[in-house]
Amino acid sequence: MSCLRTIVPLMALLLATSLLASYEAGSAYATSDKPLPEPDHFDLKSVDTSLNPCDDFYKYSCQKWKAANPIPPDQAGWSHGAKLNLWNQQVLKGVLETASANDPKRNAVEQKIGDYYAACTDEQGINTKSIAAIKPELDRINALSDKNQLAAEIAHLHQITFVLARNTNSGSGTAAFGFSASQDLDDATKVVAAADQGGLGLPDRDYYFKDDAKSVELREQYQQHVRKTFALAGEGEATANTDAQVVMEMETALAKLSMDIVKRRDPANLNHKLSAEELRAMTPHFSWDVYLHDLGVPPTAHYLVATPDFYKGLDKLIVSEPLNNWKAYLRWHLLHDASPQLSQPFVDETFEFYGRRLVGQKQLRPRWRRCVTAADRDLGEALGQVYVERTFGADGKQRMLKMVNALEAALGADIQQLDWMTPATKQEALIKLKQIEDKIGYPDKWRDYSSLKTVRTDYAGNVFRASEFELKRQLAKIGKPVDRAEWGITPPTVDAYYDSQLNTINFPAGILQPPFFDKQQDDAVNFGAIGAVIGHELTHGFDDEGRKFDASGNLRDWWTAEDGKEFDRRAKCVADEYSEFEATPGVKLNGNLTLGENTADNGGLRIALMALEGTLASGDAARPSSDGYTPEQKFFLAFGQVWCANLTPEALRLQAQANPHSTPRFRVNGVVSNMPEFQKAFGCKKDQAMVRENACHVW
Ligand SMILES: [Zn+2]
């Protein structure tokens, strides 16, 4: 959540954008009253044995699944993860519906989540209120009479929209810029105030400049969307038109000032420590004193400013743009963030652009699903407690821990046997590995929401209050010891992440379900599925970005110069390999943007296989063969099947342009074609596509 913290989630599908239309699941099931289908299990019958695994392993593993699982109309993609997410959401829906009955016997947590859900699902009440729900907020902006008041208004908007304008890989989504707390990059024991670039409505800076036909069209559609939203809010045609133009110009100016997404992957580029004096000098026309006072920012050791050049340009923009333009820009960001909480016309208009145009969704998700997603965002750890009670047992945690230990041992053995790394660097790497903390299932200590008020008749207000609560919670960390127990995602989330500043790997209960983790399956299958996920997260500690942090989470170079060069040479092989892959016709993957994820995918699968072989050799697991497959074949098939997915062309395009994860087909084929172990398991020949002549191997 905080601006700079380097959390690296596993999934692209759930994280692609911070916007309303993320890849959520389908009304084909969702609107039905029938019980939802259970999440998929590993299935040997879905292997297409008419194909040769060595030609295209993704097709071999996924073609039948893809044919049987078309994208539901309210989805931009459909995958095992999306299906599991839908199943998880149905569990949450049950919890929320029970809690939403206006029963005086409810406890405090039930009241909070129940009233939140009741307000969100009260479509009629929301429609009746319409724009009146945020009129006081619009009035505040319209009443601005002097540019000196901008700092106070931006502070206020940041408070009420903090959780709505989620951070993307390109920066913060909040108006003008982003502000929060962050662990210091050089001293991970310190939490400091952190400022980052932001203020854009499109997913990434490049969306404002690309000149291919599709990008030009998307910009035109975006400007139309801004115009229509202004019109819905009551602006006359001419004003809405002019204001939309102003927004486009101002966002383009901010985009021009923004550091690009690949450069941002090197934390050294974001590490600028400023004193309060320097902060003021950076933007003489923006009153940090007012801004920091209004947010109640505690004293901080220094300010961590990710992109000082952005702020210098922002200051010029404050001078050059008339107050009226700033008012239009701020109105737009308020409307943009509030639209999902407003009446149907606002919801539909937002869906038209962010759903239909940007990611190719055909239908809006049903309201209950949007409300479950919002409740998970705003009250996730209150809701998560019940989810964990219902779905996650102690036996699951034990088996998972055993696998994590096996994977960590395998990575240790892998590091020790590397022929390109000197003993000095190996020793540092092993210390870092040993210090990785494993978090499984849910936090030890649940978040206290008692100061957050939810009201049955005020959905927009509930969301604004939740936002204020969250920003306040983040900023309160400044100057205090780091809370190592905190989680960055909620327990029902179908995802996992590595946190380079805490040096932790995190697997919430939400992903510890089939087909990722399946108590009914043998070890070969589980190591290929969740084992590869564990390996992926561990490897992030040692990818091109993670390797720059040490065991304590500090940005410190612990590599000898020679080993660093050897690493870069191997990483370049991976970057070059993936740059050749075409995500959708005309759009290739960006090998430098996806380097960390691809390194993690490759290393993760290799050490998962090492761990499986170790487990098999120790006699802990049998080598069952009654199904006609060797454990190694099942291991690779489980890995392939986990990534079976259908994505719209729009979603593939968005992912390739703005997301650090490769698209699913290449997450599979890119990895196995680098592995002699795969080629041996399936008897591949030299000239087949899954056998790369220049196989890449980092970890
Ligand atoms: Zn990852």
Side-chain angles (χ1 to χ4, degrees):
M1 278 299 298
S2 48
C3 290
L4 297 177
R5 171 180 271 184
T6 325
I7 285 178
V8 187
L10 169 78
M11 299 282 187
L13 303 188
L14 299 171
L15 199 94
T17 77
S18 64
L19 307 165
L20 173 87
S22 56
Y23 304 81
E24 298 290 344
S27 65
Y29 301 108
T31 49
S32 161
D33 288 332
K34 280 179 254 159
L36 287 167
E38 292 281 316
D40 292 335
H41 292 265
F42 175 69
D43 182 12
L44 284 169
K45 285 194 293 295
S46 80
V47 176
D48 192 337
T49 49
S50 72
L51 300 172
N52 187 327
C54 304
D55 291 338
D56 183 338
F57 188 61
Y58 183 68
K59 207 167 169 185
Y60 180 75
S61 307
C62 292
Q63 175 151 281
K64 278 193 179 176
W65 185 94
K66 286 180 67 155
N69 289 276
I71 303 172
D74 62 356
Q75 287 277 136
W78 198 227
S79 62
H80 291 292
K83 269 191 175 181
L84 176 54
N85 183 36
L86 178 54
W87 185 82
N88 286 346
Q89 286 208 315
Q90 169 142 5
V91 176
L92 301 180
K93 181 187 180 212
V95 175
L96 287 164
E97 278 179 347
T98 309
S100 68
N102 203 351
D103 181 344
K105 284 195 230 104
R106 292 181 300 173
N107 65 33
V109 168
E110 287 165 339
Q111 179 276 321
K112 212 157 293 243
I113 60 175
D115 287 352
Y116 183 98
Y117 190 70
C120 180
T121 49
D122 176 16
E123 202 157 52
Q124 206 188 340
I126 289 169
N127 285 339
T128 306
K129 248 189 215 172
S130 189
I131 191 74
I134 61 161
K135 184 158 184 305
E137 296 300 337
L138 284 168
D139 289 347
R140 275 182 67 114
I141 297 172
N142 290 331
L144 295 176
S145 58
D146 188 315
K147 280 197 233 174
N148 287 328
Q149 298 166 329
L150 280 175
E153 184 54 26
I154 289 173
H156 176 69
L157 285 173
H158 284 182
Q159 286 174 311
I160 63 171
T161 65
F162 182 67
V163 299
L164 298 168
R166 285 267 169 148
N167 297 337
T168 67
N169 300 298
S170 324
S172 165
T174 45
F177 62 91
F179 196 89
S180 186
S182 169
Q183 276 172 276
D184 187 59
L185 287 162
D186 298 312
D187 179 358
T189 63
K190 270 202 184 84
V191 183
V192 295
D196 200 354
Q197 65 192 31
L200 307 182
L202 287 169
D204 178 59
R205 76 179 290 287
D206 286 357
Y207 275 74
Y208 293 85
F209 309 116
K210 278 198 159 84
D211 55 8
D212 61 284
K214 183 80 194 166
S215 303
V216 172
E217 186 193 14
L218 208 56
R219 273 199 296 278
E220 275 161 17
Q221 288 165 340
Y222 176 60
Q223 193 169 324
Q224 288 312 312
H225 163 61
V226 178
R227 181 183 65 76
K228 286 181 193 165
T229 305
F230 278 134
L232 285 175
E235 290 192 7
E237 204 179 313
T239 317
N241 226 337
T242 318
D243 283 354
Q245 219 170 323
V246 164
V247 166
M248 200 64 200
E249 281 164 16
M250 287 180 68
E251 288 194 357
T252 305
L254 291 174
K256 215 170 267 172
L257 297 167
S258 300
M259 190 186 293
D260 81 61
I261 195 169
V262 172
K263 208 171 166 205
R264 286 176 64 85
R265 294 199 66 253
D266 184 348
N269 290 332
L270 306 175
N271 192 14
H272 309 278
K273 290 190 186 71
L274 271 64
S275 66
E277 288 296 289
E278 289 166 327
L279 194 71
R280 290 188 198 104
M282 180 175 70
T283 56
H285 300 92
F286 178 83
S287 173
W288 284 104
D289 291 333
V290 170
Y291 179 87
L292 299 169
H293 169 269
D294 285 10
L295 287 190
V297 179
T300 182
H302 50 257
Y303 296 88
L304 186 55
V305 179
T307 49
D309 289 346
F310 173 88
Y311 282 91
K312 288 173 198 157
L314 176 64
D315 192 66
K316 289 193 185 125
L317 215 56
I318 292 174
V319 176
S320 63
E321 292 290 334
L323 178 64
N324 267 340
N325 289 4
W326 273 102
K327 284 157 85 165
Y329 171 83
L330 296 180
R331 273 201 305 277
W332 158 244
H333 273 269
L334 171 67
L335 288 165
H336 169 72
D337 293 337
S339 281
Q341 290 82 253
L342 297 182
S343 57
Q344 203 59 41
F346 287 93
V347 172
D348 288 341
E349 178 50 40
T350 302
F351 169 76
E352 275 305 307
F353 181 73
Y354 289 104
R356 197 186 304 276
R357 304 292 175 204
L358 197 60
V359 296
Q361 247 175 301
K362 296 193 170 51
Q363 260 176 33
L364 182 67
R365 279 178 299 148
R367 180 164 281 274
W368 77 262
R369 295 214 56 211
R370 286 179 273 137
C371 291
V372 168
T373 303
D376 177 57
R377 177 195 65 210
D378 290 342
L379 290 154
E381 288 197 13
L383 196 50
Q385 294 179 40
V386 195
Y387 173 84
V388 166
E389 280 163 26
R390 293 198 185 173
T391 63
F392 194 64
D395 55 334
K397 188 161 182 166
Q398 278 318 309
R399 188 161 170 194
M400 184 66 187
L401 254 178
K402 212 172 146 190
M403 289 182 70
V404 170
N405 290 336
L407 262 292
E408 286 171 348
L411 180 52
D414 177 61
I415 290 169
Q416 255 149 352
Q417 73 195 31
L418 289 178
D419 56 9
W420 56 269
M421 193 185 259
T422 59
T425 308
K426 277 185 185 177
Q427 201 187 340
E428 290 266 7
L430 290 169
I431 291 170
K432 177 166 183 180
L433 171 63
K434 201 159 171 246
Q435 244 169 273
I436 291 179
E437 192 181 330
D438 314 319
K439 294 196 204 166
I440 296 166
Y442 52 93
D444 292 336
K445 194 181 79 210
W446 295 101
R447 191 164 299 164
D448 175 12
Y449 292 97
S450 53
S451 65
L452 171 59
K453 191 173 143 206
T454 63
V455 181
R456 283 182 84 81
T457 52
D458 183 14
Y459 180 44
N462 288 342
V463 174
F464 286 156
R465 279 185 291 274
S467 211
E468 284 176 75
F469 171 86
E470 177 59 16
L471 181 56
K472 198 171 163 190
R473 194 183 72 81
Q474 291 291 344
L475 295 175
K477 297 177 190 172
I478 295 169
K480 298 221 181 78
V482 174
D483 176 7
R484 294 194 50 86
E486 194 187 350
W487 282 62
I489 53 181
T490 65
T493 308
V494 184
D495 213 332
Y497 68 94
Y498 170 73
D499 184 327
S500 52
Q501 287 179 284
L502 290 177
N503 199 19
T504 59
I505 49 174
N506 306 257
F507 307 94
I511 197 174
L512 302 179
Q513 301 280 345
F516 297 94
F517 178 62
D518 194 341
K519 287 179 246 179
Q520 294 163 21
Q521 299 290 338
D522 59 39
D523 278 338
V525 171
N526 275 314
F527 274 94
I530 197 73
V533 172
I534 299 166
H536 173 104
E537 301 309 340
L538 283 172
T539 308
H540 268 314
F542 305 90
D543 70 18
D544 62 310
E545 192 172 1
R547 82 176 184 88
K548 295 178 174 156
F549 293 86
D550 66 13
S552 308
N554 298 328
L555 192 55
R556 178 176 71 81
D557 190 0
W558 45 270
W559 294 63
T560 66
E562 186 193 330
D563 289 338
K565 250 186 237 155
E566 282 297 317
F567 178 93
D568 288 342
R569 200 162 65 79
R570 282 165 171 75
K572 186 174 182 302
C573 176
V574 178
D576 290 346
E577 173 189 339
Y578 283 78
S579 292
E580 290 303 311
F581 295 143
E582 198 171 43
T584 187
V587 185
K588 283 190 175 173
L589 295 182
N590 179 339
N592 289 319
L593 174 61
T594 55
L595 178 56
E597 296 302 331
N598 299 331
T599 305
D601 280 345
N602 279 274
L605 194 64
R606 189 171 281 109
I607 62 170
L609 181 60
M610 286 173 68
L612 171 65
E613 298 295 2
T615 305
L616 291 172
S618 72
D620 250 15
R623 292 184 72 98
S625 57
S626 56
D627 49 34
Y629 289 87
T630 66
E632 288 78 9
Q633 288 173 332
K634 283 169 77 173
F635 168 87
F636 285 111
L637 282 167
F639 170 71
Q641 285 192 5
V642 153
W643 293 112
C644 295
N646 283 307
L647 292 175
T648 63
E650 290 87 348
L652 285 167
R653 190 183 181 85
L654 175 64
Q655 188 168 331
Q657 288 184 358
N659 197 288
H661 300 85
S662 294
T663 49
R665 181 167 175 231
F666 303 110
R667 291 193 79 160
V668 174
N669 287 353
V671 174
V672 299
S673 63
N674 282 325
M675 287 181 76
E677 300 91 334
F678 168 81
Q679 291 135 20
K680 189 175 157 214
F682 287 94
C684 302
K685 307 267 176 332
K686 243 186 171 171
D687 56 348
Q688 290 185 287
M690 294 297 100
V691 185
R692 296 186 72 78
E693 212 184 304
N694 297 315
C696 305
H697 184 168
V698 184
W699 300 103

